[in-house]
Amino acid sequence: MICHLQEKCQEQNRDLYTTFVDLIKSFDTISHEGLWRIMEKFGCPRKFISMVHQFHNGTLDRVLDDGDSSNAFPVTNGVKQDCVLAPTLFSMMFSAMLSDAFLDDEETSIKVRYRTDGRLFNPQKLQAKTKVEDDSMCDFLFADDCTLNAAAEAHVQ
C-alpha cells in the first residue's frame, strides 16, 4: 500500500513529498527472479541461492473461501510466510531497491540540521558551527512501515 503526501517545508520554502509504504503487504510482491539476482549481488554463495530457489520453486497455493477450496495455482512472487529466512530475504530486496532509488543523490534527499550535544533545538543556536550537524535523509523506517521522502515531485517517481 502506497500513498503520497505533499507538505511545504517552512524554513527552506521547499516542498516535501512523502511516499508511505506498508512493508507487510510488500512481502507478497517480491519477484523471485529479482530476488535471485539481488542475492547474487549481495554476495550470497551460489549453493545457498540454489537452496532458497528450490525452496520457493514449484510452490502451489489454494484459496479457501467458506470451506470451499480453489484449484491450485503457482506462486511466482513473494517470500514464504512464517519462514525464518523471509525477513532477511525481504530486507535484501528492500535495501537494493532503496539503493537504486536514491543512488546517494544529494538532490533527491531531505536536508536536516540537528544538534549533537543532546539538547533540544534552539533555532538561534543552530548558527554555531561546533555542535551542529547537517545530514541528508531519504527514508524513515519504523516497525513495518517506511516513508520515502523527496524534495521534488519528479524524484518521487
Side-chain angles (χ1 to χ4, degrees):
M1 170 189 253
I2 297 175
C3 67
H4 303 286
L5 172 71
Q6 176 188 5
E7 292 182 10
K8 199 63 121 175
C9 295
Q10 299 275 332
E11 292 179 16
Q12 297 177 350
N13 197 23
R14 293 175 46 184
D15 288 337
L16 170 63
Y17 293 85
T18 302
T19 303
F20 296 90
V21 181
D22 185 348
L23 298 179
I24 291 293
K25 293 174 179 58
S26 301
F27 269 72
D28 294 332
T29 63
I30 291 179
S31 159
H32 289 169
E33 294 304 317
L35 181 59
W36 318 144
R37 287 193 301 269
I38 295 301
M39 290 176 72
E40 191 173 319
K41 180 179 175 182
F42 275 92
C44 293
R46 289 195 181 274
K47 188 172 185 176
F48 178 70
I49 296 171
S50 177
M51 288 170 43
V52 175
H53 184 280
Q54 289 174 13
F55 185 61
H56 285 81
N57 192 28
T59 303
L60 298 175
D61 218 338
R62 296 176 186 269
V63 175
L64 188 63
D65 180 29
D66 197 29
D68 294 330
S69 181
S70 70
N71 293 331
F73 57 90
V75 178
T76 58
N77 57 350
V79 290
K80 290 186 177 261
Q81 300 283 330
D82 300 325
C83 173
V84 295
L85 283 177
T88 303
L89 297 174
F90 178 78
S91 292
M92 291 172 71
M93 191 72 157
F94 194 65
S95 295
M97 187 273 305
L98 289 178
S99 296
D100 286 348
F102 294 113
L103 295 174
D104 293 327
D105 186 359
E106 287 294 314
E107 208 176 291
T108 62
S109 61
I110 304 301
K111 299 343 177 239
V112 177
R113 176 171 282 180
Y114 57 94
R115 292 180 55 106
T116 59
D117 61 1
R119 295 191 171 163
L120 293 176
F121 280 92
N122 180 343
Q124 296 190 2
K125 289 184 180 179
L126 288 176
Q127 306 306 318
K129 301 281 184 207
T130 56
K131 298 177 182 174
V132 176
E133 292 285 330
D134 289 319
D135 207 350
S136 299
M137 298 185 183
C138 301
D139 62 306
F140 302 112
L141 302 170
F142 180 76
D144 64 350
D145 295 311
C146 174
T147 63
L148 306 174
N149 304 296
E153 187 173 5
H155 295 146
V156 173
Q157 299 303 321

